Amino acid sequence: MRILIDGMGGDHAPQEIVKGAIQAAREIDDTVVIIGAEDLIKAELDVQKWNGSNIEVVNATEVITNNESPAMAVRKKKDSTINRGMKMVKEGEADVFISGGSTGALLAAGLLGLGRIKGIKRPAIAAFFPQIGKDDTTLLLDCGANVDCRPEFLYQFGVMGSIFVKNVKGKESPDVRLLNVGAEAEKGDELHKEAYELLANSSINFQGNIEGREVVSGVCDVVVTDGFSGNIFLKSSEGLALSIMGRLKDVLMGGTISKIAALLLSKQLKGMKKDFDYSEEGGAPILGLKGPVLKIHGSSKAYAVYNAILKARDYVESDVTGQIEKAIAESDEISSGEAAKEAAKSEV
């Protein structure tokens, strides 16, 4: 397997990208390919004293920044790491592409370079949230790819999320819920009411609405939402987690007695920190594209890069893209068949 990672994507590139790639390459037989400024990446490999054989470097002369218009930059910067990465996946030169670069550019390049799975109306960014107190996670999608949504988009997010969790985590019939302002079926605006009906009449294991406060409690395996609400939930949760951990550290370091308590509880505190740490989960897949693409946090350091590379292997081996393609094709056939029946009835 060839795992491609954007060497210039993120706040700490290329140093942390290279460190994470080396850490992963030492544990796997697959080839890790780093794309970006060849001289900088090779210099960092030398600094880290890498002497293995399963890291390759592919040169790309341009980088798309977060300050640029994503669509315009993707069209203009043909030799950017993001454009080249998508092309390599499309042409079979890489099995998966990981990037901490501009989310908008990743989506634009994915749509232009890879294209959508046939039948998928919009790709979605999926992210895993820890289930507090449990050794498990909940998948939330969409986390920002689609600010404006239609009911059928949310329905497809539910299908894709269910397939992803089933194939990657091995859960036979994942519980799926719709993020809403209340648990009752009639709650929400027209978008969520119509999406509820579509999900309720689908073949996935839809269990109704879920309120935001319940997401991290482990009520379900997949939470479906529009990109606007999902992105706000994602960033609010990250900010709250960081604030809680920061405040807890201040309290525990505030005096001799609290420091002793912190020492006695060090194991439990480390477990709590791990629960809130996004770097444990690896990358967030962009589901619905015609190839495996993972988005990592822009502030990712080596450990997050390492985890993303390891989890990318599971993503590819599970053939999530193929499974989504198959499921959507089958649902389209069912829809077409039902439409034909209705048309026949009306003619009679």
Side-chain angles (χ1 to χ4, degrees):
M1 186 183 300
R2 291 173 63 81
I3 302 167
L4 178 66
I5 186 160
D6 185 348
M8 312 307 292
D11 303 333
H12 307 290
Q15 290 82 6
E16 294 296 321
I17 305 296
V18 171
K19 288 178 185 176
I22 289 173
Q23 189 177 351
R26 284 176 175 151
E27 293 186 17
I28 61 178
D29 296 326
D30 307 286
T31 299
V32 179
V33 183
I34 308 174
I35 187 168
E38 188 175 19
D39 54 343
L40 295 178
I41 294 167
K42 286 186 173 179
E44 188 59 34
L45 287 167
D46 290 339
V47 169
Q48 299 300 323
K49 296 181 171 54
W50 169 252
N51 58 4
S53 60
N54 61 330
I55 289 182
E56 294 180 9
V57 180
V58 171
N59 190 47
T61 60
E62 296 176 301
V63 178
I64 297 175
T65 69
N66 288 318
N67 300 321
E68 300 176 86
S69 164
M72 188 177 294
V74 165
R75 288 187 173 90
K76 183 179 177 182
K77 294 185 172 181
K78 300 297 184 183
D79 199 46
S80 66
T81 54
I82 289 176
N83 270 327
R84 290 281 304 281
M86 295 296 179
K87 185 178 179 182
M88 288 178 69
V89 172
K90 183 177 182 178
E91 296 181 353
E93 296 175 22
D95 296 291
V96 59
F97 180 44
I98 305 166
S99 178
S102 163
T103 302
L106 267 181
L107 286 164
L111 289 169
L112 289 171
L114 282 176
R116 289 171 290 161
I117 291 171
K118 185 179 179 181
I120 291 292
K121 298 180 183 298
R122 293 289 188 278
I125 299 173
F128 280 113
F129 274 79
Q131 295 180 0
I132 303 303
K134 301 179 181 180
D135 187 23
D136 205 350
T137 54
T138 295
L139 187 74
L140 178 81
L141 74 164
D142 176 24
C143 289
N146 307 279
V147 174
D148 296 307
C149 281
R150 298 206 296 261
E152 58 266 35
F153 299 175
L154 298 183
Y155 155 71
Q156 289 192 342
F157 297 164
V159 173
M160 292 193 293
S162 181
I163 291 168
F164 182 80
V165 170
K166 178 180 178 180
N167 284 272
V168 172
K169 295 178 68 177
K171 293 198 173 182
E172 187 56 38
S173 183
D175 292 344
V176 180
R177 296 199 182 222
L178 177 66
L179 187 65
N180 209 331
V181 294
E184 298 84 0
E186 67 275 8
K187 284 294 182 77
D189 54 14
E190 289 305 310
L191 168 66
H192 289 82
K193 288 177 183 177
E194 290 181 35
Y196 186 102
E197 288 301 315
L198 290 175
L199 290 163
N201 289 297
S202 70
S203 60
I204 62 176
N205 184 20
F206 180 62
Q207 296 294 314
N209 290 324
I210 186 173
E211 296 182 7
R213 62 184 175 182
E214 297 179 292
V215 172
V216 295
S217 64
V219 172
C220 61
D221 302 302
V222 179
V223 174
V224 175
T225 180
D226 60 276
F228 184 84
S229 303
N231 192 263
I232 290 175
F233 180 86
L234 173 72
K235 290 176 179 174
S236 298
S237 300
E238 283 182 350
L240 180 60
L242 288 171
S243 297
I244 289 173
M245 295 306 297
R247 179 59 183 147
L248 183 60
K249 182 179 178 181
D250 290 341
V251 170
L252 292 173
M253 295 294 106
T256 303
I257 294 175
S258 57
K259 287 179 181 178
I260 293 171
L263 183 63
L264 293 172
L265 293 170
S266 60
K267 184 177 179 181
Q268 289 87 342
L269 291 171
K270 284 178 181 176
M272 182 178 175
K273 182 177 182 295
K274 187 175 180 180
D275 279 345
F276 288 112
D277 191 355
Y278 69 83
S279 65
E280 294 286 339
E281 296 307 325
I286 302 179
L287 301 178
L289 294 177
K290 280 185 179 178
V293 178
L294 297 175
K295 172 70 173 76
I296 57 174
H297 208 293
S299 61
S300 292
K301 292 197 173 183
Y303 185 61
V305 173
Y306 157 79
N307 272 326
I309 291 171
L310 295 190
K311 302 231 171 131
R313 299 168 76 240
D314 296 334
Y315 186 15
V316 175
E317 288 172 354
S318 300
D319 188 27
V320 173
T321 302
Q323 294 297 326
I324 290 173
E325 200 162 12
K326 181 181 176 184
I328 294 299
E330 288 174 352
S331 69
D332 283 349
E333 286 171 12
I334 292 168
S335 299
S336 299
E338 289 175 349
K341 287 177 184 177
E342 291 300 320
K345 286 179 183 177
S346 62
E347 288 175 5
V348 174

